[in-house]
Amino acid sequence: MATAQTDPQSEAESDREDHSASYHHGISIQPSTLETDEYDRTKVVYVKVPASMKDTFESGPESGSNVISDLFHNGNYTIDEVEEFAWPVVDGMLYAFRSYTPSRQSTTQTKVTDSAKGPDSLPEPLHTTYSKLKSELPEALKIRIGVLPMGAFGSSPALGTRLVMEHSNRKPAGREKVSDADANALFEDLAGEPFLYHALYRQSDRLPESNAYQITVRIFLFNPYYKISTESEYAKCLRFGRECDPADSFAKLGVSSSLTVIDAGYYIPWRETEVVMPSRGSGLPIFSKNPSFITGESEFNDMRRGQYGASNTLEELCEYTSLLAREIDLEHYVGLGTINPGVDPWQKAPEATGFDITDVGIDPEAILPDEVTISVDAPIEDTEFDQASTTANDGTEVHWEAIKGVAVGFDTEGYDVVIVTQDTGSRPDLWVRRDDGEIFAVEVEYRTRSKAGSFYTNLIRQAVWGYKTITVMVPETDEHGRTESLDRLGKWALSSLAIPMKQRDPTKTELHNCSGKIVVDDKTLLLPDGVSEANWWLTCDREYLLIHDGEVLARGDATAPFEAFEYNLPRYYEDDDHCVVENQYGKKIATYDQKDDIENTTLRRCHRPVDLSYLQFVEGLYCYDPDTDELVQQDMTAHWDVEQASTRNEKSHQQAFETFLVEHDNDDPILERDCRPFIKNWIEQLSAHSHPGNNIYGTYRKDYYTRDRTSVDGVMEQSYPEISFRYPRGLVSPDLPGLNTKPVFPDSWNIPREEVLQEPLIFGLDDRSEINTATEAENEDETKST
């Protein structure tokens, strides 16, 4: 806490040297957190509320909020700030209160004495605080004076957050309108957990109402189970959501968590699973630069130093980092109830301790935490992964259960639903028919984030048949039972549909890989030694390139079969009872007893895109909530889809032009009539405000590429010189999925055989018969894992 001379409004307060304890694996340390720094020794009034007095102070004349408001309105001494701390102990809750005068003057004592018998010798405003609590609270409660050695809670929490309001500082409703959304609800939610609750209440002439309070609430958890120490742990947190966000207890008040706001500003790149990046323009640091900000530890340090202001970054993300409340709202934040942990919750946090009221009045050095040893040789339990049995839909048991749940969901919505039996490995999971007769394929996608190529293959198959797809994303569950965030999963799916590209550079586009291998002359192609993943790129000259460290390992035309490409790669074939590996020239370089012994990675096909975006293939996007068996529809809107028309127009075109067009030294300029309809439709599909106007430049549009007028058949048309699509639209390859299979509908739908296949939805594919199809075996090999 602050020293007697600390100014709480100073955001530029110099950092003090932190002598708090630190704990490292394999090191035994005697903590020294409770030394003589004055900001750790500020005197406070303690109140012990035992579990037997549960619910005593939640309402009525003895409400805890009445005590706080009386302190501010006490006529004998002016108080403008009150701090409240609360933490659980074995048989109840312990509270500590500290008041400050407008000038924040007080005195400290280097020698702690037991002041339980009376406050006569106490300085102001501590004397007033003691007297008010003593007069308002029952005699059965223990009220004592002592120091609050913040170091007893350890050097840092496992997780820390503050309550914030993101958009407007509206006042919370009273308890009669909002129930179970307050400090006491928080205590119930965290029963048995080691935590510290801190609330700072301020009242001054600068607040808009005479009976208004500015409240800063911080909550800290100390159980190491919630600790995020590495970037990979944070990436997992973003995927599955935080194990616990204490601010959820206040959600009904319209109050959010600073952690929720911060997490929303980060994303996981498509190519990575353990890397976290801040969104452009968010102002957030990368994880390694300031992990304490991301985990909430910086809030803990600010609280220890008596600072109530948020960091500049958080101030920019949240319009209000402190809450504005009326007097009646105080009861939402003042906790003077209790819980019954049943055990010592601080045993879960060996680096911290929750000292009880019996420790108050004892010199801080006497209540140091015990020495802690964490072994680096602790055994790790191995858990065997039991592969679920194969289902009728060729997936895991989780996938099959999700399919059944999704089927029930659409049936409830009035659709005629059919679960498809996978006889060829190239069918959707369900067919649904709306009451107007419209038929849609339903793909229930599970574990697709690492297999985006398969995700796209499923969509293309139905698009070839002429049917739109309803995509349902199923979240994964980690080893602790946490379910992946539906919101982030839905955003990943929408982003993947809108821009089906793995990576972009100024001249070419990296594609996602599929599972199908490539066989040339009965020999399976391999990657070079030490190369574990194929990196396929597609150029605007409609050429596929396989590149590693700047070297082109394979190339071929965009509409040619993989077997016709040029390869500078090794390959293997089976010869009687062994496997032979040879180089690209046919020279034998190794022999193996079986193919599993081959060290080289098998070359995988890439996903061959049929258009720049797949939004036009999708009717709707849902996430399946396995906890409630509900389908949660996702808004298919982009981040730039805002109310302000000029901003929406500018940002949407900027993303479209930067994503789909590239500079290209080409004598044939791209005509505006070729790219304009595509961009216009793409924006419309991602917006709730319809498509942009026909004049794409208008008053607010800047010219991303220089336009010119080009003569086309004797007519001057708008065009973009030296510009082309990132790769050509309407690419149709011989291994296009769905060409060798047809949808199968139940006889009860009475669909004539000649009407089963409809007009393809793929740009440039007017007649399926014009495509030189791959063999059925090749097509099945390409799609069997989807």
Side-chain angles (χ1 to χ4, degrees), residues 506-509 537-545 555-559 662-668 723-729 731:
T507 61
K508 59 187 183 298
T509 305
W537 297 77
L538 179 56
T539 72
C540 52
D541 290 321
R542 53 182 289 156
E543 183 179 35
Y544 284 105
L545 302 174
R555 67 195 321 151
D557 184 83
T559 57
V662 293
E663 296 184 9
H664 184 210
D665 188 9
N666 192 335
D667 294 335
D668 297 323
I723 295 298
S724 72
F725 280 123
R726 180 164 285 280
Y727 47 80
R729 296 192 68 198
L731 292 176

Side-chain angles (χ1 to χ4, degrees), residues 203-237:
Q203 190 177 61
S204 71
D205 296 336
R206 290 172 291 181
L207 297 178
E209 298 179 15
S210 58
N211 289 322
Y213 300 84
Q214 178 187 349
I215 303 177
T216 301
V217 175
R218 299 182 176 103
I219 309 160
F220 306 98
L221 302 184
F222 296 90
N223 190 338
Y225 179 72
Y226 304 114
K227 187 76 171 178
I228 295 175
S229 303
T230 65
E231 187 171 4
S232 62
E233 289 176 344
Y234 188 47
K236 190 173 183 180
C237 162

Side-chain angles (χ1 to χ4, degrees), residues 643-765:
E643 289 286 344
Q644 181 61 38
S646 58
T647 300
R648 184 175 68 251
N649 195 39
E650 176 65 31
K651 295 296 184 182
S652 62
H653 282 88
Q654 180 181 6
Q655 185 183 32
F657 275 73
E658 289 179 350
T659 301
F660 302 121
L661 301 179
V662 293
E663 296 184 9
H664 184 210
D665 188 9
N666 192 335
D667 294 335
D668 297 323
I670 188 170
L671 299 178
E672 189 171 279
R673 60 179 163 90
D674 291 335
C675 67
R676 167 62 181 161
F678 166 75
I679 290 177
K680 182 177 178 179
N681 291 336
W682 183 79
I683 292 174
E684 180 180 15
Q685 290 172 310
L686 289 171
S687 173
H689 303 279
S690 188
H691 60 73
N694 290 327
N695 181 4
I696 66 173
Y697 293 96
T699 305
Y700 303 100
R701 280 276 295 111
K702 73 176 183 180
D703 200 345
Y704 293 106
Y705 292 107
T706 302
R707 289 196 302 170
D708 201 353
R709 295 178 66 85
T710 302
S711 176
V712 180
D713 297 330
V715 179
M716 300 300 290
E717 293 193 24
Q718 293 286 359
S719 64
Y720 297 94
E722 300 182 348
I723 295 298
S724 72
F725 280 123
R726 180 164 285 280
Y727 47 80
R729 296 192 68 198
L731 292 176
V732 179
S733 62
D735 54 352
L736 195 67
L739 286 175
N740 292 297
T741 55
K742 294 181 181 180
V744 178
F745 301 123
D747 294 337
S748 59
W749 285 8
N750 297 320
I751 301 176
R753 181 174 301 179
E754 63 275 11
E755 295 180 9
V756 167
L757 289 177
Q758 303 182 14
E759 285 293 323
L761 305 181
I762 295 174
F763 180 84
L765 182 59

Side-chain angles (χ1 to χ4, degrees), residues 80-135:
D80 70 345
E81 296 180 21
V82 177
E83 279 188 298
E84 174 194 8
F85 299 83
W87 62 91
V89 290
V90 175
D91 58 346
M93 292 286 294
L94 197 68
Y95 296 87
F97 294 93
R98 176 65 167 158
S99 301
Y100 296 93
T101 66
S103 58
R104 207 172 174 89
Q105 293 293 323
S106 63
T107 60
T108 61
Q109 295 178 219
T110 56
K111 179 65 176 175
V112 179
T113 58
D114 187 348
S115 304
K117 295 181 179 180
D120 294 339
S121 61
L122 295 176
E124 288 292 1
L126 196 62
H127 183 285
T128 296
T129 305
Y130 182 95
S131 299
K132 183 57 63 176
L133 290 170
K134 195 72 175 175
S135 62

Side-chain angles (χ1 to χ4, degrees), residues 147-317:
V147 296
L148 180 60
M150 293 304 301
F153 294 103
S155 61
S156 65
L159 177 150
T161 186
R162 75 157 56 199
L163 302 186
V164 299
M165 283 191 171
E166 299 179 54
H167 305 298
S168 63
N169 202 353
R170 59 186 182 276
K171 301 181 183 71
R175 184 182 296 275
E176 67 277 4
K177 295 183 180 180
V178 181
S179 61
D180 300 326
D182 52 27
N184 287 314
L186 169 75
F187 302 159
E188 290 288 348
D189 293 340
L190 297 179
E193 288 285 349
F195 68 86
L196 176 64
Y197 174 83
H198 172 254
L200 176 67
Y201 311 92
R202 303 182 68 241
Q203 190 177 61
S204 71
D205 296 336
R206 290 172 291 181
L207 297 178
E209 298 179 15
S210 58
N211 289 322
Y213 300 84
Q214 178 187 349
I215 303 177
T216 301
V217 175
R218 299 182 176 103
I219 309 160
F220 306 98
L221 302 184
F222 296 90
N223 190 338
Y225 179 72
Y226 304 114
K227 187 76 171 178
I228 295 175
S229 303
T230 65
E231 187 171 4
S232 62
E233 289 176 344
Y234 188 47
K236 190 173 183 180
C237 162
L238 294 182
R239 287 190 61 196
F240 294 96
R242 290 185 179 270
E243 180 72 17
C244 176
D245 189 338
D248 290 344
S249 302
F250 298 84
K252 291 182 181 180
L253 298 180
V255 175
S256 184
S257 163
S258 60
L259 294 179
T260 299
V261 175
I262 292 168
D263 291 349
Y266 287 91
Y267 70 95
I268 303 171
W270 286 2
R271 298 186 64 187
E272 305 289 347
T273 57
E274 298 185 347
V275 175
V276 175
M277 296 296 294
S279 301
R280 182 182 300 178
S282 66
L284 293 167
I286 62 175
F287 184 88
S288 59
K289 290 294 182 63
N290 194 352
S292 65
F293 172 75
I294 297 168
T295 60
E297 290 182 14
S298 58
E299 287 284 347
F300 187 71
N301 292 329
D302 290 344
M303 182 269 296
R304 293 179 64 202
R305 289 165 172 79
Q307 297 177 353
Y308 61 84
S311 66
N312 291 335
T313 303
L314 188 58
E315 291 280 13
E316 292 174 0
L317 292 174

Side-chain angles (χ1 to χ4, degrees), residues 510-527:
E510 187 175 10
L511 306 172
H512 296 275
N513 289 332
C514 291
S515 58
K517 60 187 178 182
I518 300 176
V519 179
V520 178
D521 296 332
D522 296 326
K523 298 175 181 178
T524 303
L525 293 175
L526 302 169
L527 290 171

